[in-house]
Amino acid sequence: MLDQIKYYRNFEAGQTVIWAGDKMDFVGSVVSGIATLTQTMEDGRTQMVGLLLPSDFVGRPGRRTAAYDVVATTDVVMCCFRKQPFEDMMNRTPHIAQRLLEMTLDELDAAREWMLVLGRKTAREKIASLLSIIARRDAALNMGGKEGPMVFDLPLTREAMADYLGLTLETVSRQISALKKDGVIVLEGKRHVTVPDFNRLLDEAGDDSDGGLLA
Amino acid sequence: MLDQIKYYRNFEAGQTVIWAGDKMDFVGSVVSGIATLTQTMEDGRTQMVGLLLPSDFVGRPGRRTAAYDVVATTDVVMCCFRKQPFEDMMNRTPHIAQRLLEMTLDELDAAREWMLVLGRKTAREKIASLLSIIARRDAALNMGGKEGPMVFDLPLTREAMADYLGLTLETVSRQISALKKDGVIVLEGKRHVTVPDFNRLLDEAGDDSDGGLLA
DNA sequence: CGAAATCCTTGATTCAGATCAACACGCCAA
DNA sequence: TTGGCGTGTTGATCTGAATCAAGGATTTCG
């Protein structure tokens, strides 16, 4: 049913999808690429409040304006629905509202997990936490839980990582270097990461190593 | 309809409502009193991830276990529904799922707002942010937006505030003293707060003074 | 090709908030 | 009444991350 009202939009790396406060007349989900949700204070301090990976949902049924800036970090393809038809559909199809509730609850858990990271973890733990999340998401996306080292590319610049973690880009760079020196990760170039021992990484993140629900 | 399956539960100040990871066979909402949602790391570092004030919802349809510790800070009365009947009701009544989605989206916004506080604000701004939220909630609850100074009691100990703000209790104490010295707030005893100029407080919080959506 | 822009790294110094420590106040129970 | 306990304040010192500063490596573009 949804197929009949969907359409696709493409965004280039660096392009802003929506500005906070703008009217937003569609909802959608990320098909490919990576986008970020950010808040900015008047003086320029910036905090990323969400990372949108493929399959993540964007937009709020029942809200007329965007609450945050949405920026494409890489080239992004989004599958969109005009808001009005989507909401009509939602009213007629309870299942959709329930699915959406499910997804929103997941997002809420992820946000709260992140509050612990921002409020209580050290810089090194923050970096390790971010790397675990990306590694996990990447592994889930690319294939079943094959054993052995995890390999992935960082989808974010050092500055974007800093904005996610509540750090400066210099501290991010230093801590990544430190994790590399200590053998927790292996770097090829600036973005290509190998994690020889995922449990070691989780340990550095300060997470319960038996697998939390970082989502 | 919901009235027919509801029941009440009382909790004393300090009592734990649910432990993270425990099976949770009810959902509910706070009727009176204040409870907190907290996460703890193995080494004891604690982060509050939510503040439950009267009317706030607790629990997750579709989840079997609690994700966080829920602790009553004051005496609390909760209105509860057993989970199974509640979920049945939800399936039969689309309106409930939509209302719940609405509330969850609000919580998500609040959590993201808090990520900015935790990640980017100074200690003083953090305290001011917390005070504004409490002041606003309190004003909304007690009466229409009467002009003039806002007056309320802090429902949290210094330590609980520290856990919410990602600070130590000493820093909380110092910053409250500083705000008091600077006339941003007036303190009687340790808990009774008067805010002579709410815009001044918002300014100290670093928020857009024309009223953001702190929830 | 060289110039400019991005993105990243590393070093030196500073500083906000943590940590360590002492003490004040109110309250309750022995 | 005294001692213990929970709560809060304040001072002295320490430290992790911010800030300031200088380049290096790639890519882009004129």
Side-chain angles (χ1 to χ4, degrees), chain B residues 121-123 166-168 170-171 174-175:
Chain B
K121 290 194 178 179
T122 65
L167 297 170
T168 60
E170 292 96 327
T171 298
R174 278 186 242 275
Q175 295 298 334

Side-chain angles (χ1 to χ4, degrees), chain A residues 176-191:
Chain A
I176 288 181
S177 298
L179 287 176
K180 175 181 163 190
K181 184 164 68 64
D182 296 346
V184 181
I185 57 172
V186 178
L187 266 187
E188 267 169 287
K190 290 145 193 326
R191 299 290 194 93

Side-chain angles (χ1 to χ4, degrees), chain B residues 15-20 35-38 52 58 68-72 78:
Chain B
Q15 204 179 344
T16 297
V17 177
I18 324 147
W19 295 98
T36 62
L37 232 53
T38 57
L52 298 171
V58 186
Y68 311 103
D69 293 334
V70 180
V71 180
M78 283 184 50

Side-chain angles (χ1 to χ4, degrees), chain A residues 122-123 166-168 170-171 174-175:
Chain A
T122 64
L167 297 170
T168 58
E170 292 96 325
T171 297
R174 278 186 243 277
Q175 295 298 335

Side-chain angles (χ1 to χ4, degrees), chain A residues 16-25 64-69:
Chain A
T16 297
V17 177
I18 323 147
W19 294 97
D22 276 8
K23 179 158 55 81
M24 185 169 170
D25 50 6
R64 310 203 57 255
T65 57
Y68 311 103
D69 293 333

Side-chain angles (χ1 to χ4, degrees), chain A:
Chain A
M1 280 185 293
L2 283 171
D3 277 358
Q4 296 174 1
I5 56 168
K6 81 179 173 194
Y7 59 100
Y8 290 94
R9 293 183 65 182
N10 293 284
F11 299 92
E12 287 171 26
Q15 203 178 346
T16 297
V17 177
I18 323 147
W19 294 97
D22 276 8
K23 179 158 55 81
M24 185 169 170
D25 50 6
F26 66 96
V27 298
S29 70
V30 177
V31 175
S32 68
I34 282 154
T36 62
L37 274 173
T38 57
Q39 285 193 87
T40 306
M41 296 170 67
E42 306 92 274
D43 62 9
R45 279 177 284 175
T46 294
Q47 176 67 50
M48 197 184 300
V49 297
L51 192 56
L52 298 172
L53 302 177
S55 87
D56 283 336
F57 188 81
V58 186
R60 302 243 169 296
R63 307 285 171 97
R64 310 203 57 255
T65 57
Y68 311 103
D69 293 333
V70 180
V71 180
T73 348
T74 62
D75 288 353
V76 166
V77 179
M78 282 183 54
C79 171
C80 301
F81 310 95
R82 279 184 305 118
K83 201 159 79 75
Q84 194 52 57
F86 184 85
E87 287 180 355
D88 294 346
M89 178 85 50
M90 216 177 76
N91 287 330
R92 270 179 283 122
T93 322
H95 180 68
I96 295 184
Q98 281 177 35
R99 178 78 191 93
L100 216 48
L101 176 58
E102 191 85 5
M103 289 170 61
T104 307
L105 285 169
D106 286 342
E107 277 188 88
L108 184 56
D109 279 345
R112 287 177 164 163
E113 198 79 31
W114 209 249
M115 285 174 63
L116 176 64
V117 173
L118 291 174
R120 291 301 184 194
K121 291 194 177 179
T122 64
R124 173 183 261 244
E125 288 170 335
K126 285 179 175 182
I127 297 288
S129 298
L130 179 58
L131 292 175
S132 343
I133 287 182
I134 295 174
R136 208 183 327 241
R137 283 287 303 237
D138 205 79
L141 214 76
N142 288 350
M143 35 117 151
K146 170 110 55 67
E147 279 305 316
M150 298 169 112
V151 182
F152 57 92
D153 281 301
L154 285 174
L156 301 172
T157 64
R158 301 290 187 261
E159 187 178 24
M161 288 188 248
D163 284 341
Y164 203 5
L165 296 166
L167 297 170
T168 58
L169 70 93
E170 292 96 325
T171 297
V172 170
S173 182
R174 278 186 243 277
Q175 295 298 335
I176 288 181
S177 298
L179 287 176
K180 175 181 163 190
K181 184 164 68 64
D182 296 346
V184 181
I185 57 172
V186 178
L187 266 187
E188 267 169 287
K190 290 145 193 326
R191 299 290 194 93
H192 194 76
V193 178
T194 304
V195 180
D197 178 356
F198 191 61
N199 282 328
R200 171 81 194 285
L201 183 63
L202 285 181
D203 214 60
E204 292 285 356
D207 290 330
D208 228 335
S209 57
D210 58 39
L213 24 90
L214 257 287

Side-chain angles (χ1 to χ4, degrees), chain B residues 143-158:
Chain B
M143 34 114 152
K146 169 111 55 66
E147 278 304 317
M150 298 169 112
V151 182
F152 58 92
D153 281 301
L154 285 174
L156 302 172
T157 64
R158 301 289 186 263

